[in-house]
Amino acid sequence: MLGLALTFPFAATAENGIVHDAEYYILEAQHGEVWASDDQTVDARLAEFRERNGGKPPNILYVLVDDLSFGEMGIPEMNYIRGSQTPRINAFADEGLSLMRMYTEPSCTPSRVALMTGRHPVRNGLGEVKATVAGEGLATEEVTVAEVLSDNGYNTVHIGKWHMGDIEQSYPHNQGFDYASFPIHQQVLLGFMTPESDASQAMQGWLPGSSNDPFALDATFKPDGLVYSMEGTRGELAREVDFEAGERWTQAHYDAMHQKYQTETIEQLQRLSAEDKPFFLQYWPLIPLEFDRTRFDTIETANGGTGVESLKQLDKWFGDIIDEVDRLGIAENTLVVLMADNGRFRQFDSTLGFSQTIYRGGKVDTSEGAIRVNAFARWPGMIAEDTLAGDMIHISDLFTTFARIGGAKDSISTDRIIDGLDQSALLLEGEGPGRRDYVFVYGTDNLAAVVKQKFKLELPAPGLPGVSAKVYDLYRDPGEQSPLTEIALWASASYQDIIERHMLAAQAHPHSDVGRGHPYSGIENLRPESKTMVENFMSWQKN
């Protein structure tokens, strides 16, 4: 039976012509008949829903939280142990499905790219997080979930963190969103590079006057002139907002940005729900990454870390959003998904108050603690309440799943590998019909680990022999502390086959190039100091 799948990497022979990675076809050859039956059930349920909903697919509200390890939200027992408070998220989890084995990429840009494109970021050059100006980003040639849904009748809005490039083609309003309100950069620049952060020694050496080096010669070494908050409408240039030429970015600006995005999300819910078209609304808040302890008048959690205190605020805000969905009367025709983009920012555990819970490690490494997160889905009448699913799912699967649920699957590109699998049956039918038992884990551009079923292969560092690879049983050893030779003895050959198939598929469908251009292009009111920063950056770039 498996021999029938040998052509899998080389032609679009599977569902709707979508090309998946090689491992999918190994599973399809064994489970294709069952999956076809599941698809019929899903199609019937979605058709019944559309009939009840005036012929329209559901709204989709997707909330992506930054840097939060598994166990930090949605589980009251963990709240109790950790001294944190997420009562509204806990209640939301009880109202739907908890995806207990959600995998992401190791850090923020890669995870967001995987969600938006349905592809591992190694395939489009965005596997690395950029801090300041880079002249790179999500390329026009990539097809996003917003574009797919927009082409099929959805209104599309993005609010909050973006972090997928500082060039015009990569901005969200140029990647399928009708409107976007977002910062170009991430919290290292927004929450760290402030006078308050410098005063608390969370960040040192950047603020003028905070350090003294009488022998410093390069005035461009410390980044200055960064662009902060932006707004953009499809087909128009972006504008920087809420910041003037010559201003110094402060904690007050960062706090105002948090509140702005929360307020805009509520306002957009109200506006979009009044339209006749379904909507896809993304809210990607910047909190709970918060480094300035002085912004809290009182400490209200037993934990007391700045991140945990900020998580309490986020929990309330998320509750306000769900209350608004309910008040507007759109709960039954709105799929809401809440999850984190990757594990904790472990380098700042002592400040933020987060810690290793069940899984070892955190953001930027490739341990389970970096790529296992909480994820919850609610859709009253369509997703069963208070349920758990242990099926493996990857953030890229949401691309394909949202497209299927939104009636837009036929718009997914068929000229490239789509890593995201359709997990609609898992969401709608509950635990059991998942279509994934593998995840490829990349550290930037290098394959670092492969998860298959309950086992995880940790590849040796370049230059080391293959025999030094480690294999873990993730149920027995979720902390990845004790590799088991007795598993590696039989599993190593199978893992070699998995990796070889994966690489052959990449050869048949080569990776795309990252988008490139002038930093801050496409902004109509670029500040003078930002123009100078770009000029300095471009002065040494290749044409």
Side-chain angles (χ1 to χ4, degrees):
M1 179 174 65
L2 295 184
L4 298 176
L6 290 179
T7 59
F8 47 76
F10 310 111
T13 57
E15 45 165 355
N16 291 343
I18 297 172
V19 181
H20 289 306
D21 201 354
E23 202 63 16
Y24 169 83
Y25 299 100
I26 296 293
L27 303 182
E28 185 191 47
Q30 301 171 65
H31 304 282
E33 292 184 5
V34 173
W35 290 355
S37 177
D38 290 342
D39 285 340
Q40 291 179 351
T41 301
V42 169
D43 286 341
R45 291 197 63 192
L46 291 176
E48 291 170 2
F49 171 83
R50 287 193 295 271
E51 186 175 353
R52 297 194 306 269
N53 196 42
K56 297 182 295 186
N59 307 313
I60 301 173
L61 171 59
Y62 179 61
V63 182
L64 184 64
V65 181
D66 210 39
D67 293 0
L68 209 58
S69 293
F70 184 91
E72 295 287 5
M73 63 177 178
I75 304 175
E77 293 83 358
M78 292 299 294
N79 282 173
Y80 190 86
I81 292 169
R82 295 280 297 109
S84 58
Q85 299 176 28
T86 60
R88 295 305 308 269
I89 296 174
N90 300 350
F92 176 78
D94 290 342
E95 294 170 0
L97 173 67
S98 295
L99 296 162
M100 302 300 289
R101 205 172 179 193
M102 170 63 84
Y103 279 92
T104 67
E105 299 291 321
S107 55
C108 32
T109 296
S111 285
R112 292 157 201 270
V113 169
L115 176 279
M116 289 302 301
T117 67
R119 287 152 55 79
H120 284 304
V122 68
R123 301 197 192 279
N124 44 41
L126 287 166
E128 183 179 5
V129 173
K130 302 294 184 180
T132 60
V133 295
E136 296 179 356
L138 192 61
T140 300
E141 292 74 19
E142 289 296 321
V143 178
T144 69
V145 66
E147 290 173 319
V148 168
L149 292 172
S150 179
D151 288 347
N152 286 271
Y154 273 75
N155 288 326
T156 54
V157 171
H158 173 86
I159 304 294
K161 182 172 179 175
W162 181 245
H163 202 197
M164 281 181 277
D166 59 3
I167 55 177
E168 184 173 11
Q169 63 185 293
S170 69
Y171 303 154
H173 61 287
N174 296 324
Q175 290 285 350
F177 289 98
D178 301 323
Y179 171 79
S181 179
F182 64 104
I184 286 186
H185 300 294
Q186 34 88 310
Q187 294 93 320
V188 167
L189 284 69
L190 302 170
F192 266 140
M193 295 171 65
T194 67
E196 294 83 359
S197 184
D198 184 89
S200 66
Q201 296 190 344
M203 170 74 77
Q204 299 181 40
W206 170 76
L207 189 71
S210 67
S211 65
N212 180 35
D213 182 354
F215 305 103
L217 300 177
D218 184 2
T220 69
F221 177 61
K222 298 179 181 180
D224 190 32
L226 298 167
V227 170
Y228 295 101
S229 187
M230 301 233 297
E231 294 178 1
T233 300
R234 186 195 295 261
E236 299 179 7
L237 294 174
R239 289 186 57 82
E240 186 176 22
V241 296
D242 306 321
F243 200 70
E244 300 296 329
E247 268 195 276
R248 171 69 63 191
W249 184 260
T250 68
Q251 181 67 37
H253 289 102
Y254 189 45
D255 292 343
M257 182 179 276
H258 296 324
Q259 184 64 62
K260 170 189 172 73
Y261 294 150
Q262 172 71 11
T263 301
E264 282 192 299
T265 300
I266 298 289
E267 292 173 348
Q268 289 293 333
L269 267 177
Q270 295 166 349
R271 182 186 69 81
L272 292 166
S273 65
E275 300 284 336
D276 190 47
K277 298 168 67 175
F279 65 77
F280 175 54
L281 172 59
Q282 283 192 161
Y283 175 37
W284 294 358
L286 296 164
I287 57 174
L289 275 190
E290 181 60 74
F291 306 99
D292 178 23
R293 191 172 181 82
T294 64
R295 70 176 295 270
F296 301 102
D297 294 331
T298 59
I299 299 300
E300 298 182 358
T301 66
N303 181 296
T306 56
V308 172
E309 287 293 310
S310 188
L311 177 59
K312 182 177 183 294
Q313 176 69 67
L314 178 63
D315 178 76
K316 178 185 181 303
W317 281 356
F318 179 73
D320 291 343
I321 290 170
I322 296 303
D323 287 346
E324 190 63 20
V325 169
D326 295 344
R327 187 192 70 79
L328 291 167
I330 60 172
E332 292 188 354
N333 64 331
T334 302
L335 167 63
V336 183
V337 175
L338 167 70
M339 62 178 289
D341 67 343
N342 50 250
R344 76 195 203 279
F345 200 167
R346 57 187 173 82
Q347 291 83 353
F348 291 89
D349 280 350
S350 61
T351 298
L352 296 169
F354 298 127
S355 69
Q356 182 167 302
T357 52
I358 300 170
Y359 304 111
R360 173 174 62 86
K363 179 176 181 173
V364 309
D365 63 43
T366 55
S367 63
E368 295 290 284
I371 55 177
R372 291 284 289 274
V373 300
N374 291 107
F376 314 102
R378 186 190 86 161
W379 187 3
M382 296 294 287
I383 293 177
E385 295 184 7
D386 198 16
T387 51
L388 309 175
D391 306 60
M392 194 183 299
I393 184 170
H394 186 265
I395 189 170
S396 64
D397 296 346
L398 296 181
F399 169 91
T400 314
T401 304
F402 287 167
R404 168 77 177 283
I405 289 173
K409 197 171 180 182
D410 288 345
S411 296
I412 294 176
S413 298
T414 59
D415 62 348
R416 64 200 68 185
I417 289 178
I418 301 295
D419 296 291
L421 307 181
D422 179 6
Q423 300 276 25
S424 303
L426 173 59
L427 290 189
L428 300 184
E429 299 302 305
E431 183 175 77
R435 299 190 177 184
R436 176 184 292 278
D437 74 348
Y438 65 93
V439 169
F440 295 99
V441 184
Y442 276 83
T444 312
D445 296 330
N446 298 313
L447 185 63
V450 180
V451 181
K452 179 70 172 179
Q453 299 173 6
K454 69 172 185 173
F455 304 110
K456 182 175 183 180
L457 172 74
E458 181 182 297
L459 292 165
L464 294 179
V467 71
S468 62
K470 300 174 182 178
V471 179
Y472 301 97
D473 182 325
L474 294 174
Y475 281 110
R476 295 188 199 177
D477 183 20
E480 300 168 84
Q481 301 290 342
S482 303
L484 297 174
T485 303
E486 54 268 41
I487 297 174
L489 288 172
W490 65 262
S492 58
S494 294
Y495 271 116
Q496 287 175 353
D497 292 345
I498 290 170
I499 293 169
E500 185 172 356
R501 291 192 293 261
H502 176 63
M503 297 304 178
L504 284 171
Q507 290 176 18
H509 299 277
H511 298 336
S512 305
D513 293 329
V514 68
R516 298 187 187 278
H518 282 233
Y520 301 158
S521 50
I523 303 173
E524 66 179 17
N525 61 333
L526 200 60
R527 303 187 329 266
E529 55 267 38
S530 301
K531 293 179 180 178
T532 298
M533 187 178 191
V534 171
E535 290 170 359
N536 291 334
F537 176 82
M538 295 304 300
S539 68
W540 55 270
Q541 294 287 307
K542 294 181 180 179
N543 294 328

